[in-house]
């Protein structure tokens, strides 16, 4: 007997949040936060610019922000992505970012940051939380 059952469609995305060192001609060029989006949906999806959320409010109830200091050529969002396609964007950390993260750590030593990416269809995907203390530890490389 043949089965008409098909595997359910895979819908989703992998969002990876990381920290990267920027190599310059004469040594370290700084530190960046990187966000990598992998489309796992069988159909084409259009992804919006990633945004970030911290586990501790920055100011009152504000816990979400976008980074604008893109390294290299900025991606035009919404970005059309095929199944399995990967796109990465890097955001250079500046002293103001480190100051904000230090203020978060003063509120909670276990503060985390999470990257989010949404589609134009309203689907929202997130990375694993990244410890803010690991970012602040690299402040000597921030330019």
């Amino acid at each position: 007997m043949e089965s008409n059952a098909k595997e359910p469609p895979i819908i989703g995305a992998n969002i990876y949040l990381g920290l990267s060192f920027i190599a310059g001609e004469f040594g370290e060029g700084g530190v960046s936060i990187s966000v990598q989006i992998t489309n796992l949906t069988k159909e084409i999806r259009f992804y919006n610019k990633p945004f970030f959320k911290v586990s501790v409010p920055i100011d009152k109830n504000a816990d979400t922000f976008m980074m604008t200091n893109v390294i290299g050529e900025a991606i035009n969002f919404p970005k059309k992505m095929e199944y399995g396609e990967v796109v990465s964007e890097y955001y250079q950390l500046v002293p103001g970012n480190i100051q904000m993260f230090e203020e978060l750590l003063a509120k909670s030593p276990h503060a985390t940051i999470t990257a989010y990416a949404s589609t134009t269809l309203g689907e929202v995907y997130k990375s694993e939380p990244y410890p803010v203390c690991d970012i602040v530890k690299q402040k000597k490389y921030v330019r």
Side-chain angles (χ1 to χ4, degrees):
M1 177 182 249
E2 289 185 36
S3 173
N4 287 334
K6 294 181 179 179
E7 289 184 35
I10 296 175
I11 297 177
N14 277 342
I15 311 298
Y16 178 77
L17 174 63
L19 203 58
S20 303
F21 286 99
I22 304 166
E25 288 184 43
F26 305 106
E28 300 94 11
V31 178
S32 69
I33 289 180
S34 60
V35 178
Q36 183 181 70
I37 304 169
T38 305
N39 181 23
L40 300 177
T41 305
K42 297 282 183 177
E43 297 86 25
I44 292 171
R45 287 291 192 266
F46 288 83
Y47 286 85
N48 296 310
K49 183 173 182 63
F51 62 94
F52 301 88
K53 187 171 183 168
V54 288
S55 60
V56 177
I58 298 164
D59 183 37
K60 297 183 184 176
N61 293 330
D63 63 357
T64 306
F65 62 95
M66 293 183 100
M67 297 201 59
T68 57
N69 41 344
V70 175
I71 298 172
E73 191 172 328
I75 297 169
N76 290 325
F77 290 100
K79 170 76 172 143
K80 178 182 178 181
M81 293 180 66
E82 305 276 345
Y83 173 69
E85 188 173 348
V86 179
V87 67
S88 299
E89 194 157 62
Y90 298 85
Y91 307 97
Q92 183 158 6
L93 290 175
V94 295
N97 298 130
I98 295 298
Q99 180 182 349
M100 177 187 74
F101 291 139
E102 287 176 329
E103 290 170 7
L104 292 176
L105 287 178
K107 295 176 186 177
S108 170
H110 304 291
T112 60
I113 182 173
T114 305
Y116 287 79
S118 64
T119 68
T120 55
L121 296 177
E123 302 157 329
V124 179
Y125 305 103
K126 66 180 183 173
S127 70
E128 292 293 322
Y130 195 92
V132 170
C133 64
D134 288 354
I135 298 171
V136 172
K137 285 178 188 176
Q138 307 308 320
K139 77 178 186 177
K140 65 182 175 185
Y141 301 110
V142 172
R143 308 273 182 256

